Amino acid sequence: MSKQDLLSWSVHRKSVDARKQKVLFSFIIDAEVRHPQKYLSNPDVRIAPDEKFTYTPKGNVPLSNRPVVVGFGPGGMFAALLLAQMGYCPLVLERGSEIDKRTEDVHRFWQEGILDPQSNVQYGMGGAGAFSDGKLTTRSKDLKARKVFEELVRFGASPEILYQQHPHIGTDGFVKIVKALKQEIEHLGGQFLFDAQFDNMRVKDNRIVALHIQDHGWIDCQALIIAMGHSASDTIRMLNEKGLAMESKPFAIGVRIEHDQTYINQAMLKDRANDPTLIPARYQVTQTVSTNKGVYSFCMCPGGYVVAASSEPNTVVVNGMSYSDRSAENANAALLVQVDQSDTGPGLFAGLDYQEQLEHAAYDLTHSYRAPMQKAKDFVQGVMTTRFDGIQPTYPLGHVFIDFNTFLPPVIAKSLKEALLAFEQKIPGFIGDAILTGVETRSSSSIRVLRDKTSLQATVQGVYPCGEGAGYSGGITTSAIDGLRCAMALMDHFDKPSLQSVE
């Protein structure tokens, strides 16, 4: 292309392929040019798609009060944001605390083992994504993803997330974004109640008419988006009692595996292991084993930490987290095994019970929030771990040495063991000095709250199940997209609330 024809350009997509000895960089460039027809004959050149988000509400059913959004994780955040931008002035309810108090509560748990059941890694402003790696990777081709990314940038994320292959924000970066997004919703007329658990609802003629907020009482409600996250099992059980149809769905459980990040860099990048443009390196592995179960890595956190993620007393739950610079010595990832009713037994809540029993069993090992741990090579060999070699665990509340072969359900242990041996063949040294920490049980919901495919309403009219907790997404980006989708469905049915109802 001649310089005279190039008017402007920007990076649309940047990706790196480090799977082979030669590291390859790939770029997709957006360019504004003179005489575009001259270049469109090139098979690598095409007209850029229009990714601008446009939406106009068309609902005509009157709303006599504000629409309510339950939960202020990614699904609830973007549902509330779009409602506010369209003039619907939502009321947002969050059972947990505002982000500053929530951060204090989480750090007190990590440092002292004092758990606040309503303000923790799972519950509170920002949702579970506020204490994670903040990964934005998604396979979704939904154009609403561009809206999500552009809003995140507007509220403080690096513009690089618009074109990176594996965009992430980091826990520290997510906090300022959540604060700015909340301020925008308030500026547009939305209201918030924190430390306010939605714990009951009234239904008349198969429509929601009111909901109850713990310590606040009853309020009238015609339109409700429920984006409560995947850990709110008490809310799920209450909704089922109130007539919302549900079904069980497959989910996954497993452990966190922790490596030295330097080893991951070397294993994945070979002679580019010290290249600052490529490190910290990441990996993704998957294997179908003899139990016919898929075992896979999930939520890989380069330069991160294994964290205590319990939300209920007397349970041990682990997760992974990174800060935006990903500079910690260790890498970690969940190693998860697919679980279905062949494991849990029949029944709508059998999966929830299965998860909770495992979490309580982990706590009962020491009657504390210390986590079960074992060296990966000892797990594979079926021996008891008594010490760590080199790499030290990052889980903050201490550990107890166990043999996961005897602790995990047999089919889960067998599946993990076979998968680890397969991963060792794919990435030599993968077992090595790696540490396993359990239990990872909150990667996805075991329940799906049924909703109409067109209106997105539940079997109780006026209720819109949304996001991970309702079984329709997994991760920050897909949850945010589903929040936008539910807000649009609500506004395609309901007109804006009257001025009197939002004063």
Side-chain angles (χ1 to χ4, degrees):
M1 178 179 294
S2 66
K3 291 184 178 180
Q4 290 78 9
D5 284 350
L6 182 61
L7 300 176
S8 65
W9 68 275
S10 61
V11 177
H12 180 86
R13 181 78 167 170
K14 174 186 177 182
S15 59
V16 180
D17 186 347
R19 291 174 295 177
K20 299 179 180 179
Q21 291 289 339
K22 187 177 181 180
V23 177
L24 299 176
F25 292 86
S26 175
F27 291 86
I28 298 175
I29 302 298
D30 286 336
E32 182 182 5
V33 300
R34 293 186 179 92
H35 315 301
Q37 293 302 322
K38 181 168 62 173
Y39 299 100
L40 286 172
S41 60
N42 187 320
D44 292 326
V45 177
R46 61 182 62 91
I47 296 175
D50 183 4
E51 296 181 319
K52 184 179 180 180
F53 177 82
T54 57
Y55 173 72
T56 302
K58 56 179 182 287
N60 55 20
V61 176
L63 265 180
S64 57
N65 32 57
R66 296 172 184 265
V68 178
V69 177
V70 169
F72 201 59
M77 286 163 54
F78 278 87
L81 177 64
L82 187 58
L83 288 169
Q85 289 172 336
M86 297 293 117
Y88 279 68
C89 304
L91 170 63
V92 181
L93 306 178
E94 172 54 62
R95 72 188 291 168
S97 300
E98 290 197 60
I99 194 66
D100 289 337
K101 178 183 179 299
R102 182 189 181 199
T103 300
E104 293 176 1
D105 294 336
V106 168
H107 287 161
R108 182 168 59 251
F109 178 48
W110 290 349
Q111 293 164 9
E112 304 174 37
I114 300 173
L115 175 67
D116 184 333
Q118 299 295 358
S119 181
N120 47 61
V121 168
Q122 307 293 345
Y123 302 145
M125 180 175 167
F131 294 92
S132 70
D133 187 59
K135 276 177 285 296
L136 304 175
T137 305
T138 177
R139 293 181 181 144
S140 173
K141 302 299 183 182
D142 195 315
L143 292 179
K144 298 180 195 68
R146 187 71 181 187
K147 161 79 168 174
V148 171
F149 281 41
E150 288 179 348
E151 293 288 12
L152 290 172
V153 170
R154 186 163 71 92
F155 292 120
S158 168
E160 292 180 349
I161 68 170
L162 295 173
Y163 61 81
Q164 288 175 327
Q165 180 184 13
H166 298 286
H168 85 110
I169 297 174
T171 290
D172 47 338
F174 204 67
V175 169
K176 66 178 182 180
I177 292 169
V178 174
K179 286 183 176 181
L181 196 149
K182 172 180 175 288
Q183 290 174 354
E184 174 83 349
I185 293 170
E186 289 177 323
H187 175 72
L188 295 172
Q191 290 186 351
F192 287 80
L193 281 177
F194 291 96
D195 303 301
Q197 183 177 352
F198 160 55
D199 61 2
N200 205 348
M201 61 187 287
R202 287 180 181 150
V203 178
K204 183 178 180 180
D205 297 329
N206 202 41
R207 293 183 179 276
I208 183 171
V209 295
L211 57 82
H212 188 266
I213 310 168
Q214 193 174 79
D215 300 327
H216 293 270
W218 288 94
I219 63 169
D220 293 337
C221 177
Q222 297 166 269
L224 171 65
I225 294 176
I226 302 178
M228 67 284 187
H230 56 46
S231 292
S233 59
D234 50 357
T235 305
I236 286 287
R237 294 176 190 272
M238 179 273 291
L239 293 173
N240 180 250
E241 291 176 0
K242 295 300 175 180
L244 273 73
M246 303 177 182
E247 64 182 7
S248 62
K249 59 181 279 292
F251 59 105
I253 65 167
V255 295
R256 279 270 150 184
I257 186 166
E258 201 161 9
H259 295 96
D260 186 321
Q261 181 64 55
T262 301
Y263 155 73
I264 297 296
N265 294 345
Q266 183 62 48
M268 303 308 297
L269 301 175
K270 306 298 189 295
D271 59 350
R272 302 288 292 274
N274 295 315
D275 187 333
T277 65
L278 298 175
I279 60 174
R282 63 184 63 82
Y283 64 84
Q284 182 176 356
V285 288
T286 183
Q287 184 72 25
T288 300
V289 294
S290 67
T291 59
N292 293 320
K293 291 187 174 295
V295 184
Y296 58 96
S297 61
F298 175 78
C299 187
M300 195 266 163
C301 299
Y305 305 86
V306 177
V307 300
S310 301
S311 57
E312 282 72 46
N314 306 332
T315 62
V316 173
V317 180
V318 301
N319 200 355
M321 183 193 84
S322 294
Y323 293 107
S324 56
D325 62 5
R326 290 174 162 175
S327 61
E329 292 183 358
N330 290 0
N332 70 80
L335 289 185
L336 300 178
V337 181
Q338 295 171 333
V339 174
D340 56 31
Q341 287 196 343
S342 67
D343 306 291
T344 67
L348 178 61
F349 297 123
L352 276 179
D353 295 339
Y354 187 87
Q355 290 169 303
E356 292 171 358
Q357 289 166 7
L358 196 58
E359 295 163 6
H360 282 290
Y363 181 90
D364 289 344
L365 290 170
T366 63
H367 296 285
S368 74
Y369 294 104
R370 286 186 286 163
M373 291 188 192
Q374 186 177 25
K375 288 189 295 186
K377 62 184 177 184
D378 288 352
F379 170 62
V380 168
Q381 295 169 5
V383 300
M384 187 69 176
T385 297
T386 57
R387 60 183 175 81
F388 298 120
D389 298 322
I391 180 176
Q392 296 297 309
T394 57
Y395 180 84
L397 290 174
H399 61 272
V400 55
F401 289 114
I402 68 160
D403 185 355
F404 278 113
N405 289 286
T406 60
F407 175 77
L408 293 171
V411 68
I412 304 299
K414 178 179 174 64
S415 300
L416 275 175
K417 186 183 297 186
E418 288 187 20
L420 279 167
L421 291 170
F423 299 155
E424 176 70 23
Q425 296 299 311
K426 297 177 182 180
I427 309 175
F430 191 82
I431 294 175
D433 295 334
I435 298 171
L436 306 180
T437 305
V439 287
E440 174 104 5
T441 52
R442 304 290 182 88
S443 64
S444 60
S445 175
S446 62
I447 297 288
R448 179 175 290 112
V449 185
L450 300 184
R451 67 188 188 190
D452 182 82
K453 291 182 179 180
T454 302
S455 72
L456 302 191
Q457 295 187 62
T459 47
V460 171
Q461 297 299 293
V463 177
Y464 298 81
C466 176
E468 283 199 29
Y472 291 99
S473 64
I476 292 173
T477 304
T478 53
S479 295
I481 290 171
D482 202 54
L484 294 176
R485 188 180 294 123
C486 288
M488 293 165 66
L490 185 155
M491 292 185 287
D492 283 343
H493 183 73
F494 292 101
D495 198 358
K496 295 179 185 177
S498 64
L499 289 176
Q500 292 84 356
S501 68
V502 299
E503 290 176 352

